[in-house]
Amino acid sequence: MSSRYHEKTIAELSAMLHAGEVSSVELTQYFLDRIKSRDGELNSFITVTEEQALAAAKAADERIKNGEAGPLTGVPIAHKDIFCTDGVRTSCGSKMLDNFISPYDATVVTKMKQAGVVMLGKTNMDEFAMGSSNETSFYGAVKNPWNTQTVPGGSSGGSAAAVAARLAPAATGTDTGGSIRQPASMCGITGIKPTYGRISRFGMIAFASSLDQAGPMAQSAEDCAMLLNAMAGFDERDSTCLDNEVPDYTAELEKPLAGLRIGLPKEYFGEGLSPAVEQVIRDALDEYKKLGAELIDIELPNSGLSVPVYYVVAPAECSANLSRFDGVRYGYRCADPVDLMDMYTRSRGEGFGAEVKRRIMVGTYALSSGYYDAYYLKSQQLRHKISDDFKEAFEKVDVIMGPTAPDVAFKIGEKSDDPIAMYLSDIYTIAVNLAGLPGMSVPAGFVNGLPVGLQITGNYFKESQLLNVAHQYQKNTNWHRAIPEDFA
Amino acid sequence: MSYDSNWEVVIGLEIHCQLATKSKIFSGSSTAYGAEPNTQANAVDLALPGVLPVFNKEALRLAVKFGLAVDAEIGLRSVFDRKNYFYPDSPKAYQITQMDHPIVGKGHMDIELENGETKRIGITRAHLEEDAGKSMHGTYHGMTGIDLNRAGTPLIEIVSEPDMSSAKEAVAYMKKIHSLVRYIEISDGNMQEGSFRCDANVSVRPKGQKEFGTRTELKNINSFRFVEKAINIEIERQIDLIEDGGKVIQETRLYDADKNETRSMRSKEEANDYRYFPDPDLLPVVIDEAYVEQVRSELPELPEQKKQRYMSEYDLSAYDAGVITASRELADYYETVAAKAGDAKLAANWVTGELAAKLNREEVEITEAKVPAEAFAGLLLRIKDDTISGKIAKDVFEAMWNGEGSADEVIESKGLKQISDSSAIEAMVDEVIVNNPSQFAELKGGKDKMMGFFVGQVMKASGGKANPGQVNAIMRKRLEE
């Protein structure tokens, strides 16, 4: 029997757990040991919850023994540190919440617990999910396991790096403008951002409420489907969560792709895209052709507006969402405030990092009296146009494909001083959030030893189809099984 | 008010009224008043990271009910907005309110002026929002404590047009709204507990001028008396200021009841830019006509409808009907008394007379009346069947108020039963005549006003118990003999 559990997908580990080939306690200890010995190089975890993990694993083993287990019972995973976890520090990557022990579980965390999933710990992230490189974290940058000189992407960079290095079989992430797909692409793993409203946002610390969406980050589409089964569903505590039936996302994985219409937006293959990355994507598209899919050129004429629109809407919402971090009730409070104003300004000034402050200021400006119409209102109007582009496209095609990011992972520090260049690394992912559509990133090859992700975008609530399209590709390729040499 | 008639006053009110829901507008916490600090504040009320608001549909129903009661347009699609400002008792540092699309649009409320005329006050809008918590200054080792029990209690803010031209009118309007929200049972209207409070926008202008003068906003006035005093003192201040060559500046002012003065809180320049925008955590509230009609069917008879009914059905004067219908509790009390006593007019006279005076003297509400409606009707029945006179009835009422029992018990124990036995009255009359021969001679001689003297003497001799009608009749008989 192999004890190289880190080479296994969740589907495989689940089968082994149910067959009694391994216990959850053994698996959990195995990954805890791996984190302990290897995460020093990556910094992908903020908090490791060893004690709770082993207790949960023990309980999971009981459930398995008693025949009460579901497919995920006993499987260890990590949660992005944006999800509130009862009794465990929930920092959101910020000094502001470094001392915050959440008194409750996010709905996603509750659902995972109910499924018997074991939490290994909380993963590093850009501060308040604001960043594309995981360099804005109060806990330091996360390194890409494929090349520790480079970034893992962001904001779910800790989750992506941990899964890529197989320190955890899977992790949760959140995606406001590409924060699941872009790091998944840069770390060579599979991630899906479902339709806005598919997964409850309750207990997920808000960045931009109308864009934030949780999702799984794993080794394969099949694993994502299994995890999504546990995460998705209506929650009466989230008014924007949709109350429609949740299908079994594993049910359609094996559907053949013959006749699948794939749309290729010309805007995603133009200027700014690295030619080497484009070649990887073209190769992936050839693979789909072999599987019987039809490639159709389409246009998303307003996609060029995505980045500017996003950088009005998201900061505007975040400027209000982050106002609650005021030093009054929890979180960081400055030392010896002389009065209320001093307490507010210093607590926030010292508690937030530069990127968070930049976005709060941009958002505050955009909402200010006299500027609201020109910025916020205008952006909302353009957001409709961006959505309409997709609506039109999906009349002609089933899914849309292209690169997840214009290039592979860049060097740590390379774009830190150039926010605009940093923002452009999300140029292909942001429109999907603005439209509220489901999107995936699937490993499709390498450039200079760094992974390239293929982005697949579907129509509203077509997660099953996306997972099917990705799974069929993964059955015919091995990119998703590649493990960075240093972590093999 | 003594300001001279060269000035015209313009007043608009913003009334904050807590809605009587069991739980908060966006969380499941209880709204009950008076609990230990922060025992009714859950994760949502504390604005912990990650929490989300969920709209309480009961608050919607109550707001729509209000809209229908003031004949307003109902917003079939209303939108919640965030109003951003930092304050320790505002845990999210924004208040969820409604800006561009309120649940209640234009409506109106009629008030009665002192000269008996009716004036229509426009209601601009009423919107749903959440209340803030409370700061408790200096209570904890010199630090400020925050109690978030009230945070998230549902409010409607009722905004009037600047249609009132005196403090008296403002109070009349506020009382009308206060009475209405209790009538339709959307609020307990408890002003001591802050369930019903008001901000007043006040300006003055020279008579005849079309443009409004610069207004000031008086904040958080929580009694009818203070509203009147605060507005009057502010009017005086503005007129004095202008007459002395100064200028009113647009600002928020606080009324200090102890010193009876208003003082500046912040000027327009210091005012917050609230950066309103639609709350992305909440969907627009969409309702249809069927829902509105359902709520309409739940409305009780409104004060104005009740007043008209009393006038036509019970033949009451507009004044009496107005007084009785001013509060739902008083109207309910009255209707019970009228029904049990079988005499609506007599009931109206006593309720607006003796009972109202007593309530006034004791400074209690009708709900705290020591004589319940049924017992009060029992008293009126004894007047009707001539057991006691109206005069004696007042003493009986007093005794009943003091807990000496029912009307019958008081009449019995104090021996107040009216003497209607004509032979007994005749004997008393004769005795009085015998004792006052000269006066009787004067009466016989045509000095009619001596009649009152004799009736009075007989009443006195009977201890007030003789039936005055009978005393009169017997005296007349004796005169003719």
Side-chain angles (χ1 to χ4, degrees), chain B residues 159-225:
Chain B
V159 182
S160 85
E161 293 288 314
D163 285 349
M164 288 151 277
S165 47
S166 72
K168 277 212 155 43
E169 285 184 21
V171 171
Y173 166 79
M174 192 176 167
K175 280 189 169 163
K176 270 286 212 35
I177 297 284
H178 184 250
S179 155
L180 179 70
V181 298
R182 288 159 54 120
Y183 247 93
I184 61 176
E185 293 176 321
I186 65 165
S187 174
D188 66 15
N190 190 319
M191 295 171 85
Q192 270 95 45
E193 294 175 6
S195 303
F196 193 87
R197 40 193 212 266
C198 138
D199 302 338
N201 287 297
V202 180
S203 67
V204 298
R205 61 182 167 191
K207 204 158 217 155
Q209 180 182 303
K210 265 180 104 180
E211 304 80 44
F212 290 133
T214 305
R215 67 166 195 271
T216 58
E217 185 180 10
L218 305 177
K219 273 278 174 211
N220 249 339
I221 331 175
N222 61 359
S223 84
F224 296 125
R225 204 159 58 92

Side-chain angles (χ1 to χ4, degrees), chain A residues 84 97 100 103-104 196 201-206 209-210 236-240 316-317 320-321 323-326 328-330 340 344 348 364 367-369 372 376, chain B residues 43-55 81-82 84 86-94 143 146 148 273-283:
Chain A
C84 283
L97 291 178
F100 178 65
Y104 77 101
Y196 181 79
R201 292 187 296 117
F202 188 81
M204 189 175 113
I205 298 176
S209 312
S210 74
E236 59 180 13
R237 291 177 301 178
D238 175 1
S239 314
T240 61
E317 291 180 10
N321 282 334
S323 292
R324 69 187 56 197
F325 305 111
D326 56 5
V328 175
R329 299 166 315 288
Y330 52 77
L340 183 61
Y344 281 152
R348 289 169 65 77
T364 302
L367 290 174
S368 295
S369 143
Y372 179 86
Y376 188 77
Chain B
V44 173
D45 308 316
L46 287 164
L48 289 185
V51 296
L52 296 169
V54 175
F55 180 42
D81 296 285
R82 292 182 181 179
N84 294 285
F86 283 95
Y87 203 71
D89 64 19
S90 170
K92 296 185 295 297
Y94 59 80
M143 293 191 290
I146 309 291
L148 295 177
D273 177 355
Y274 291 119
R275 306 189 311 280
Y276 288 95
F277 76 106
D279 191 332
D281 287 333
L282 291 160
L283 304 175

Side-chain angles (χ1 to χ4, degrees), chain A residues 40 77 80 191 336 381 450 460:
Chain A
I77 70 153
K80 185 177 182 179
D336 306 318
Q381 290 160 353
L450 288 166
Y460 297 105

Side-chain angles (χ1 to χ4, degrees), chain A residues 74-313:
Chain A
V75 172
I77 70 153
H79 281 303
K80 185 177 182 179
D81 208 18
I82 199 168
F83 293 100
C84 283
T85 41
D86 192 359
V88 175
R89 173 172 61 179
T90 301
S91 75
C92 222
S94 182
K95 179 180 179 183
M96 185 58 88
L97 291 178
D98 183 46
N99 64 0
F100 178 65
I101 311 288
S102 174
Y104 77 101
D105 276 330
T107 299
V108 162
V109 173
T110 303
K111 281 175 164 263
M112 287 294 203
K113 275 187 181 170
Q114 284 163 353
V117 171
V118 173
M119 177 177 82
L120 295 166
K122 312 286 297 286
T123 57
N124 205 341
M125 56 182 286
D126 277 302
E127 185 180 8
F128 284 104
M130 298 177 197
S132 310
S133 65
N134 218 117
E135 292 168 289
T136 72
S137 170
F138 171 64
Y139 300 93
V142 175
K143 281 143 201 153
N144 190 324
W146 291 96
N147 176 348
T148 53
Q149 304 289 304
T150 65
V151 303
S155 67
S156 311
S159 290
V163 175
R166 304 301 194 258
L167 305 188
T172 53
T174 61
D175 190 318
T176 305
S179 283
I180 286 175
R181 290 158 292 157
Q182 187 255 27
S185 169
M186 290 188 170
C187 289
I189 64 164
T190 306
I192 180 166
K193 177 203 94 73
T195 309
Y196 181 79
R198 179 74 291 183
I199 297 176
S200 169
R201 292 187 296 117
F202 188 81
M204 189 175 113
I205 298 176
F207 161 15
S209 312
S210 74
L211 300 161
D212 295 344
Q213 183 61 207
M217 303 174 78
Q219 299 163 48
S220 68
E222 186 183 18
D223 284 5
C224 283
M226 290 175 72
L227 292 162
L228 195 55
N229 275 345
M231 294 169 81
F234 177 64
D235 179 6
E236 59 180 13
R237 291 177 301 178
D238 175 1
S239 314
T240 61
C241 193
L242 287 141
D243 190 5
N244 54 7
E245 212 189 317
V246 179
D248 174 358
Y249 291 110
T250 62
E252 284 184 34
L253 290 175
E254 300 301 339
K255 239 171 104 174
L257 298 187
L260 179 78
R261 298 169 302 167
I262 299 174
L264 306 177
K266 72 167 200 225
E267 294 81 5
Y268 287 15
F269 291 91
E271 203 189 330
L273 175 62
S274 136
V277 168
E278 177 169 359
Q279 191 51 55
V280 169
I281 299 302
R282 297 278 179 204
D283 291 346
L285 294 171
D286 283 344
E287 190 63 41
Y288 274 105
K289 247 172 37 191
K290 280 189 224 155
L291 293 171
E294 183 190 350
L295 303 183
I296 300 167
D297 288 327
I298 59 164
E299 286 182 35
L300 299 171
N302 292 295
S303 64
L305 297 169
S306 305
V307 172
V309 165
Y310 177 86
Y311 279 99
V312 171
V313 173

